Amino acid sequence: MKNKFKRVFSALLAVITVFSATAVFGTSTYAAESETLPVVSGETVETATEPAESTEPATAPSTAVTEPTTQPATVATTAPATEPTTKPAPKVGNVKNIVKTSFLTDQITLTWDKVSGASGYYIYYKNADNSNTFKKIAEVKSNTCTVKKLLHTTQYHFKISAYVVQDGVKYEGSGTVKKTATQPGKAENLRMKRSSSVIEFAWNRNSKATGYKIYRASGSTNGKYVLYKTIRGNSTTTFTDKNIELGRAYYYCVKPFRELYNTSYTAPSADIKFICGMSAPDYSMTSQLSRVSLSWNKNKYATGYDIYYSTSKDGTFKKLGSTTNNYFNTVKLSNKKTYYFRVQPYKLNGANKTKVVGTYATRSKTVTKDAYGVSVGNTYIEISLKQQHMWYYRNGELYCHTDVVTGNDDGYHNTPKGAFSIWQRQSPTTLVGAGYASYVNYWMAFTYNGVGIHDASWRSNSEYGGTTYKGNGSHGCVNTPYNAVKKIYQKAGIGTRVVVY
């Protein structure tokens, strides 16, 4: 009886031992946080979001219990006791020589030495600027990974650990930490402030930057950028250069940088170009016939001028056009509406004709449909002296337009400006003046002292428009190509408004 009791007690002790082993090697779960994590790419990426982590026992001892067998009293047999065996856990080496191999603002690529016998690697990370906690973000099979969708100018710590799979269980080694950072973002909103005898420009602040590096290229450096100034601290976001020469080209490059871990992380280039002395032109504006006419003094360093407009001072400005003249007439705009304008000079610089722009001033003008205080209605002839062009509108629609030659710009024969009306029409007729008598096919007078619109058979087509009127203009009349004046004459009757500006 005593031997039977010992056998039952031994069996119960085995069950308790198995139960205790199961409790020790049971499953524990790593809870993934709900925040959005960066995307990780590598060879055989198993997860791009934080997975649950589990720990498995090295071996799972058998839970099977064999009931003792009772033999007849005359045959007493006892089975020898069998102890469970545990396979030793494999040794997992540490990750070594983690290297950052990318230099981008929004992603980091890491490589490391392969760990002998490793089945794969776990990747953990934290934004070291605002967190002290590592998060598992991926599991990769190869010894490289790329983490994307990161913030620029930000320090990140990565922990990489190898693991070995044995009997279906993953054994993770100790993690190795790599401290690094993304490159700073490019200097934003790099903009001109002055381009006169002093060059000044500004940019938006990078709050994480250690400072800014200013590079300059000019003729003295054979067009190559050299480090010109280092600004330490990120609160200074303007730079002024007085070491310049009027008419010369100066190119600048602004690079925010951040110093961490004995490394200077530098932003991509943001460039700005200047012609010293090519400053904002001082321009005036008038409005008539739903247009705005702008005029300014030429800048001797400028090749031409770009004209922009917007319906609000701080709104988006659209390009209206470009001109090499010192004046510009807009297209038809909305009556009684205020528009904002910019005149920006530019120069096509060097052998490559690189476009370098100057500074600009923003001014507003309210559009009027009238001209010189007179209501002209929807049918009128419009003549721009500076553009040497004429338009004829009928019932609000453009009927005809053409280049013209107006009065000689000498202070004596200039075509008068103002709002007039056609008071005389003749076809054909001979125009008689001091020292001339000219036969014309179509004549429309709009002043009482003999200024009108007519054809001019003595002019070639190439003379119309441009600057012919500066030195070879008429005696005051508006010389018009034959086909255009014929078309206008057939429709424009007595009383048709003529506006000259």
Side-chain angles (χ1 to χ4, degrees):
M1 185 68 179
K2 182 181 292 185
N3 290 337
K4 183 176 180 181
F5 177 78
K6 288 182 179 180
R7 288 195 297 271
V8 172
F9 180 80
S10 298
L12 289 173
L13 182 62
V15 170
I16 293 171
T17 301
V18 170
F19 178 80
S20 176
T22 303
V24 170
F25 293 101
T27 301
S28 62
T29 301
Y30 175 89
E33 297 185 22
S34 61
E35 70 173 281
T36 302
L37 296 174
V39 175
V40 182
S41 64
E43 182 180 339
T44 315
V45 178
E46 296 189 1
T47 177
T49 56
E50 188 172 2
E53 181 181 16
S54 63
T55 303
E56 299 291 341
T59 59
S62 172
T63 58
V65 179
T66 304
E67 293 294 331
T69 303
T70 304
Q71 300 293 334
T74 57
V75 183
T77 304
T78 302
T82 302
E83 294 296 330
T85 60
T86 301
K87 188 175 182 179
K91 294 184 178 180
V92 184
N94 292 340
V95 170
K96 297 180 180 180
N97 299 324
I98 303 174
V99 178
K100 175 187 174 184
T101 61
S102 63
F103 302 92
L104 301 174
T105 60
D106 61 351
Q107 67 182 48
I108 291 175
T109 298
L110 300 172
T111 62
W112 55 91
D113 294 346
K114 289 183 178 180
V115 175
S116 178
S119 302
Y121 305 89
Y122 290 128
I123 313 298
Y124 302 82
Y125 101 123
K126 66 179 178 181
N127 178 336
D129 282 333
N130 59 21
S131 175
N132 293 318
T133 304
F134 279 103
K135 297 180 177 64
K136 183 188 288 185
I137 53 174
E139 178 182 333
V140 299
K141 297 298 184 183
S142 66
N143 60 325
T144 183
C145 71
T146 297
V147 186
K148 301 179 180 178
K149 296 185 178 180
L150 299 175
L151 303 175
H152 67 74
T153 330
T154 302
Q155 57 177 329
Y156 289 95
H157 295 177
F158 294 90
K159 184 170 68 173
I160 303 176
S161 57
Y163 67 83
V164 173
V165 178
Q166 179 177 285
D167 298 331
V169 178
K170 293 179 180 178
Y171 296 85
E172 182 178 359
S174 299
T176 301
V177 174
K178 172 67 175 179
K179 297 180 179 180
T180 186
T182 50
Q183 304 301 116
K186 181 184 292 187
E188 296 181 349
N189 194 23
L190 184 58
R191 58 200 181 274
M192 294 180 171
K193 293 180 74 70
R194 286 188 288 173
S195 180
S196 51
S197 58
V198 172
I199 286 176
E200 183 180 6
F201 52 91
W203 58 92
N204 290 356
R205 178 174 179 247
N206 184 328
S207 61
K208 294 181 180 179
T210 301
Y212 309 95
K213 294 181 180 180
I214 311 296
Y215 296 79
R216 190 179 86 163
S218 63
S220 61
T221 63
N222 296 319
K224 295 181 180 180
Y225 281 103
V226 296
L227 182 60
Y228 193 59
K229 177 75 173 180
T230 298
I231 300 173
R232 303 200 71 85
N234 58 40
S235 59
T236 298
T237 57
T238 61
F239 181 73
T240 302
D241 193 358
K242 298 181 180 180
N243 185 26
I244 50 178
E245 184 179 345
L246 286 172
R248 297 287 187 180
Y250 296 90
Y251 296 177
Y252 298 87
C253 173
V254 181
K255 291 186 177 184
F257 69 94
R258 187 175 186 184
E259 293 176 343
L260 292 166
Y261 321 119
N262 298 318
T263 302
S264 181
Y265 298 86
T266 306
S269 298
D271 301 327
I272 190 167
K273 303 175 177 64
F274 287 84
I275 301 293
C276 182
M278 198 165 68
S279 55
D282 183 16
Y283 60 96
S284 60
M285 294 182 290
T286 59
S287 179
Q288 58 278 318
L289 305 176
S290 299
R291 298 185 195 271
V292 174
S293 299
L294 304 93
S295 60
W296 56 90
N297 293 326
K298 280 194 170 185
N299 185 302
K300 63 180 180 180
Y301 305 118
T303 302
Y305 306 85
D306 292 327
I307 317 300
Y308 297 86
Y309 82 119
S310 176
T311 55
S312 64
K313 185 177 181 179
D314 299 319
T316 300
F317 279 76
K318 298 180 180 178
K319 188 175 181 179
L320 269 171
S322 299
T323 181
T324 57
N325 298 313
N326 63 331
Y327 57 85
F328 185 86
N329 288 340
T330 71
V331 296
K332 295 284 187 179
L333 302 173
S334 298
N335 186 40
K336 296 182 180 180
K337 189 168 186 176
T338 299
Y339 292 84
Y340 295 82
F341 297 90
R342 292 173 178 172
V343 180
Q344 187 172 35
Y346 67 85
K347 181 178 181 179
L348 301 179
N349 188 58
N352 294 329
K353 301 296 183 183
T354 301
K355 187 174 184 178
V356 182
V357 299
T359 54
Y360 57 80
T362 302
R363 295 178 183 171
S364 63
K365 188 66 179 179
T366 301
V367 174
T368 177
K369 189 178 179 181
D370 298 338
Y372 300 101
V374 176
S375 176
V376 297
N378 293 321
T379 299
Y380 55 88
I381 295 170
E382 176 183 354
I383 302 168
S384 169
L385 300 180
K386 287 185 176 180
Q387 287 184 292
Q388 291 291 284
H389 203 80
M390 179 167 64
W391 300 262
Y392 176 38
Y393 287 87
R394 281 180 55 81
N395 301 320
E397 299 292 332
L398 180 62
Y399 178 74
C400 176
H401 70 100
T402 180
D403 285 337
V404 296
V405 176
T406 60
N408 200 47
D409 188 20
D410 57 7
Y412 299 98
H413 301 96
N414 301 72
T415 302
K417 298 178 182 179
F420 311 95
S421 298
I422 294 176
W423 68 274
Q424 184 184 54
R425 298 170 74 253
Q426 291 181 338
S427 177
T429 190
T430 299
L431 304 178
V432 179
Y436 70 90
S438 302
Y439 174 88
V440 298
N441 292 283
Y442 301 99
W443 164 251
M444 293 171 282
F446 59 81
T447 74
Y448 291 102
N449 60 349
V451 176
I453 302 168
H454 61 81
D455 54 294
S457 58
W458 53 91
R459 291 198 182 274
S460 64
N461 290 334
S462 63
E463 292 183 70
Y464 292 104
T467 59
T468 302
Y469 78 109
K470 291 181 177 293
N472 189 28
S474 71
H475 288 84
C477 289
V478 181
N479 294 176
T480 309
Y482 176 84
N483 290 336
V485 74
K486 178 181 179 181
K487 192 172 183 179
I488 295 172
Y489 185 87
Q490 290 172 345
K491 297 294 183 180
I494 299 294
T496 299
R497 284 286 188 185
V498 178
V499 178
V500 184
Y501 57 87

